């Protein structure tokens, strides 16, 4: 069925625009006066002083989660690097002495300038090793090199995960997520 | 010889004093304040806070310090010249917009008598038209010299728009000249101090209300500000004719726009709002003169405020709408207004 468009047929007084202009001026002036004497309509957030909390689903800078012994959970399976549509994850694997752990990353770089914060890496990871829930907005920098987040950098935001790894479930009460952590550094 | 020197010196000195008092203090002062006021005002009527960050220590003064911070920023920014075959024209263009805007104030009477007018010429309003129509060159040459398509399109729009509205603005004011029978602004202002039937001030807006609306509309269009800022049209043309300008070049353009706002206010006051006269107040006492000058400045600032509010109230017209408004609506109404004024004046003379 065709959509019926309701065309407006303003009368001559409206079309002549003269009265309407004055109505508009009255409206804006009234709003100006309201805002001059009271602040209740003002929607500005004074950014560096006040910050809005991010939603819990905000995808910020990545963090690498830790095992109980504070070593990195990542087993360098490359699933995240494969899933990444922006091709911005570069992982180099290394052997680990512990026979229960396959591999670990010797370097884990994310080029934050290429990253589109889609969260696919987080979804792909079988080990709950990479997350985007740090609540940290990408920090501006003067050089491109500073936008490469290495493994140490990513781990510094990390915390111990309660997800089981290596076949054995270990419960933790203190899962640390950084929801709502809003300071930008 | 000595006498001639003294007279000359006197004239030069007086001119300088008037220049400093009126143009530097009032016009430039208002234009400078406008750079802050416009942002703050628009912010408040759009439920925002507006500029408030510039500070000296903990003093912020509601963002007033932005007036200081802006020039510092503009002076220290990179002064970019695009890859253009006309770098000299590119440099010259801001001045070509700035100088005419400022020169025009020479003939505005801001108080009673010759003392309060920099140059008393009987051609006052023609001088204003002649000089302020040079304004278009600054914008168009700047746009041309930018060697940029957006600038060029913006410049084309501006030149067509400004020249079209030049016609309508001239015709809209003719009624005033017919009624007061003079082109001398001081004369027109003085005549408006009289009372009509003993109680209505004989202001131009009383005789020519239609002309006032036409004048204000055309003047805003001449100044290429919203709702007539299709030459700038951020949504389509980046920044239109001044896309390539940065640092002081941009600042001078912006300042000349603000100066023109004050100019429109001053001319509108002189022609339509009774100039410096205050109804029912005559005399040479110093307090009356002070009141009259204050009245002139107040009325001018009122028109400045009106222009600012109009700008932040109305959405931008489309380019073809602007042209249609100029040629098919403004021009016929101005002509009709002129004819009616002529007929009425003839009848009054006969009677
Ligand atoms: S968020 Fe998306 S783009 Fe960024 S690293 Fe993960 S998968 Fe790649
Ligand atoms: S972060 Fe997860 S998906 Fe990526 S390599 Fe490490 S374990 Fe595999």
């Amino acid at each position: 069925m065709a959509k019926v468009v309701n065309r407006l047929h303003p009368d001559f007084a409206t079309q002549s625009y003269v009265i309407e202009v004055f109505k508009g001026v009255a409206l804006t002036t009234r709003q100006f006066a309201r805002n001059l004497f009271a602040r209740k309509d003002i929607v500005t957030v004074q950014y560096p002083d006040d910050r809005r909390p991010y939603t819990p689903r905000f995808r910020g800078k990545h963090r690498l989660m830790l095992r109980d012994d504070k070593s990195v959970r990542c087993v360098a399976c490359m699933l995240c690097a494969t899933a990444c549509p922006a091709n911005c994850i570069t992982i180099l694997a290394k052997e680990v002495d512990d026979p229960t752990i396959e591999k670990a990353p010797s370097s884990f770089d994310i080029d934050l300038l290429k990253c589109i914060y889609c969260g696919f890496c987080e979804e792909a990871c079988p080990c709950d090793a990479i997350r985007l829930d740090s609540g940290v907005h990408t920090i501006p920098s003067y050089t491109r090199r500073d936008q490469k987040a290495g493994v140490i950098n990513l781990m510094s935001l990390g915390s111990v995960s309660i997800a089981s790894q290596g076949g054995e479930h270990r419960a933790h009460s203190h899962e640390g997520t950084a929801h709502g952590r809003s300071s930008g550094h | 010889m000595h006498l001639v020197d003294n007279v000359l010196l006197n004239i030069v000195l007086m001119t300088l004093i008037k220049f400093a008092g009126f143009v530097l203090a009032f016009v430039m002062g208002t234009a400078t304040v406008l750079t802050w006021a416009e942002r703050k005002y628009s912010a408040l009527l759009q439920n925002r806070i507006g500029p408030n960050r510039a500070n000296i220590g903990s003093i912020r003064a509601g963002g007033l310090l932005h007036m200081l911070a802006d020039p510092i920023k503009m002076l220290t920014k990179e002064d970019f010249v695009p890859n253009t075959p006309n770098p000299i024209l590119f440099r010259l263009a801001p001045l070509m917009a700035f100088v005419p805007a400022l020169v025009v104030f020479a003939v505005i009477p801001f108080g009673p008598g010759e003392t309060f007018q920099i140059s008393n010429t009987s051609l006052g309003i023609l001088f204003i038209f002649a000089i302020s129509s040079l304004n278009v060159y600054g914008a168009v040459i700047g746009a041309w010299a930018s060697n940029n398509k957006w600038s060029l399109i913006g410049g084309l729009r501006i030149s067509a728009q400004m020249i079209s509205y030049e016609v309508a603005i001239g015709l809209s004011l003719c009624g005033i000249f017919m009624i007061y029978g003079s082109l001398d602004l001081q004369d027109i202002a003085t005549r408006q101090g009289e009372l009509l039937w003993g109680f209505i001030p004989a202001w131009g807006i009383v005789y020519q209300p239609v002309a006032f609306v036409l004048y204000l509309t055309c003047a805003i269009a001449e100044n290429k500000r919203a709702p007539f800022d299709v030459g700038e049209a951020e949504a389509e043309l980046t920044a239109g004719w001044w896309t390539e300008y940065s640092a002081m070049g941009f600042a001078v353009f912006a300042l000349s726009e603000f100066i023109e706002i004050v100019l429109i206010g001053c001319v509108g006051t002189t022609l339509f709002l009774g100039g410096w006269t205050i109804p029912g107040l005559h005399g040479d006492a110093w307090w009356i003169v002070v009141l009259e000058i204050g009245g002139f400045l107040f009325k001018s600032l009122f028109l400045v405020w009106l222009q600012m509010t109009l700008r932040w109230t109305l959405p931008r017209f489309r380019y073809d709408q602007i042209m249609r408004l100029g040629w098919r609506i403004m021009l016929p109404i101005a002509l009709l207004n002129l004819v009616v004024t002529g007929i009425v004046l003839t009848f009054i003379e006969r009677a």
Side-chain angles (χ1 to χ4, degrees):
Chain A
M1 206 183 81
K3 186 172 170 7
V4 179
V5 177
N6 277 327
R7 291 189 192 283
L8 293 174
H9 293 286
D11 54 5
F12 179 73
T14 313
Q15 271 192 331
S16 78
Y17 214 55
V18 178
I19 302 159
E20 298 299 308
V21 165
F22 282 99
K23 276 191 199 161
V25 167
L27 182 81
T28 39
T29 310
R30 199 163 54 235
Q31 199 59 29
F32 171 71
R34 266 171 75 101
N35 290 331
L36 191 64
F37 298 116
R39 291 249 143 161
K40 60 172 180 286
D41 286 352
I42 293 207
V43 293
T44 309
V45 175
Q46 300 260 23
Y47 169 61
D49 306 338
D50 315 332
R51 289 155 193 261
R52 301 183 118 135
Y54 289 127
T55 77
R57 298 176 61 181
F58 173 75
R59 294 193 293 267
K61 189 173 170 183
H62 314 65
R63 58 184 188 139
L64 286 179
M65 306 298 285
L66 309 177
R67 292 169 198 275
D68 291 350
D69 60 1
K70 303 285 189 273
S71 63
V72 69
R73 277 179 81 92
C74 172
V75 293
C77 70
M78 311 287 170
L79 282 175
C80 54
T82 312
C84 177
N87 260 337
C88 62
I89 307 180
T90 315
I91 306 168
L92 288 180
K94 70 174 179 202
E95 301 260 353
V96 197
D97 294 340
D98 187 343
T100 61
I101 300 172
E102 252 176 282
K103 294 179 283 183
S106 69
S107 80
F108 191 112
D109 285 316
I110 299 181
D111 189 338
L112 295 175
L113 285 179
K114 283 190 194 163
C115 175
I116 56 172
Y117 297 93
C118 62
F120 285 5
C121 47
E122 173 179 56
E123 266 176 55
C125 181
C127 302
D128 188 24
I130 187 167
R131 290 194 189 175
L132 277 80
D133 62 357
S134 65
V136 175
H137 213 93
T138 304
I139 301 154
S141 67
Y142 284 103
T143 61
R144 280 171 185 271
R145 207 180 327 121
D146 292 346
Q147 294 288 347
K148 289 229 174 191
V151 63
I152 303 295
N153 185 340
L154 294 173
M155 274 169 70
S156 67
L157 292 168
S159 62
V160 179
S161 163
I162 59 159
S164 63
Q165 194 174 28
E168 209 180 303
H169 179 78
R170 280 161 299 184
H172 272 283
S173 54
H174 56 275
E175 179 187 17
T177 56
H179 291 165
R181 187 198 294 176
S182 54
S183 74
H185 308 288
Chain B
M1 187 63 207
H2 202 71
L3 194 71
V4 174
D5 267 1
N6 262 345
V7 171
L8 248 181
L9 197 73
N10 252 340
I11 292 174
V12 171
L13 215 64
M14 275 311 287
T15 309
L16 278 183
I17 290 173
K18 289 181 212 169
F19 179 78
F22 181 53
V23 178
L24 280 190
F26 175 66
V27 177
M28 293 297 277
T30 313
T32 313
V33 173
L34 272 178
T35 59
W36 163 80
E38 170 124 59
R39 281 178 289 166
K40 198 74 181 174
Y41 183 69
S42 66
L44 280 180
L45 57 76
Q46 291 173 344
N47 295 352
R48 295 181 285 114
I49 289 182
N52 64 350
R53 292 272 152 188
N55 56 4
I56 300 176
S58 59
I59 306 170
R60 283 189 175 174
L64 260 176
L65 292 172
H66 276 269
M67 293 188 307
L68 263 170
D70 284 345
I72 296 174
K73 178 191 168 194
M74 291 298 189
L75 283 169
T76 49
K77 269 177 91 163
E78 183 193 356
D79 203 357
F80 177 74
V81 181
N83 185 8
T84 163
N86 298 315
I88 297 175
L89 283 185
F90 184 81
R91 279 266 160 276
L92 224 59
L95 291 180
M96 291 169 85
F98 186 70
V99 171
L102 214 53
V103 163
V104 171
F105 286 95
V107 294
I108 304 266
F110 52 95
E114 242 175 82
T115 331
F116 299 104
Q117 191 180 19
I118 293 174
S119 158
N120 186 14
T121 153
S122 53
L123 288 175
I125 191 70
L126 289 186
F127 178 79
I128 291 183
F129 279 145
I131 300 294
S132 64
S133 66
L134 291 179
N135 238 319
V136 64
Y137 290 105
V140 173
I141 287 179
W144 170 256
S146 293
N147 194 18
N148 173 323
K149 283 174 193 156
W150 284 314
S151 303
L152 189 63
I153 295 173
L156 277 176
R157 288 182 180 183
I158 284 176
S159 56
Q161 171 190 336
M162 286 176 82
I163 289 168
S164 312
Y165 278 82
E166 195 90 1
V167 180
I169 200 173
L171 282 173
S172 75
L173 295 186
C174 280
I176 289 283
F177 310 144
M178 284 161 68
I179 288 172
Y180 297 112
S182 170
L183 290 175
D184 185 346
L185 288 170
Q186 188 65 268
D187 227 30
I188 294 177
T190 316
R191 291 278 306 278
Q192 293 183 69
E194 295 158 10
L195 288 180
L196 189 64
W197 303 314
F199 64 97
I200 304 175
W203 290 0
I205 193 171
V206 177
Y207 290 126
Q208 295 273 313
V210 178
F212 178 69
V213 174
L214 290 178
Y215 164 75
L216 204 61
T217 316
C218 296
I220 294 174
E222 279 271 316
N223 195 10
K224 43 196 185 305
R225 272 167 66 84
F228 298 98
D229 59 344
V230 283
E232 198 179 331
E234 309 86 351
E236 311 148 36
L237 300 179
T238 315
W241 58 282
W242 56 14
T243 304
E244 297 286 1
Y245 281 90
S246 60
M248 231 31 210
F250 172 78
V252 168
F253 265 137
L255 200 62
S256 61
E257 189 181 300
F258 285 120
I259 290 174
E260 255 182 85
I261 296 176
V262 184
L263 173 72
I264 293 168
C266 287
V267 175
T269 306
T270 309
L271 294 179
F272 291 101
L273 298 185
W276 43 263
T277 61
I278 296 175
L281 206 62
H282 297 282
D284 302 327
W286 65 268
W287 59 272
I288 291 184
V289 173
V290 168
L291 266 185
E292 282 172 339
I293 295 176
F296 176 81
L297 303 186
F298 176 78
K299 289 180 211 168
S300 305
L301 289 181
F302 168 76
L303 285 185
V304 168
W305 166 82
L306 190 61
Q307 290 175 66
M308 233 161 65
T309 313
L310 282 174
R311 182 201 164 141
W312 291 103
T313 300
L314 301 178
R316 176 184 301 136
F317 291 128
R318 229 166 41 213
Y319 179 63
D320 63 313
Q321 290 172 331
I322 288 185
M323 284 325 235
R324 202 171 56 207
L325 183 73
W327 288 108
R328 302 235 308 252
I329 300 174
M330 289 295 169
L331 188 64
I333 293 181
L335 280 171
L336 203 68
N337 184 43
L338 206 59
V339 171
V340 172
T341 310
I343 293 174
V344 171
L345 276 182
T346 317
F347 270 114
I348 289 177
E349 256 166 45
R350 290 272 167 80

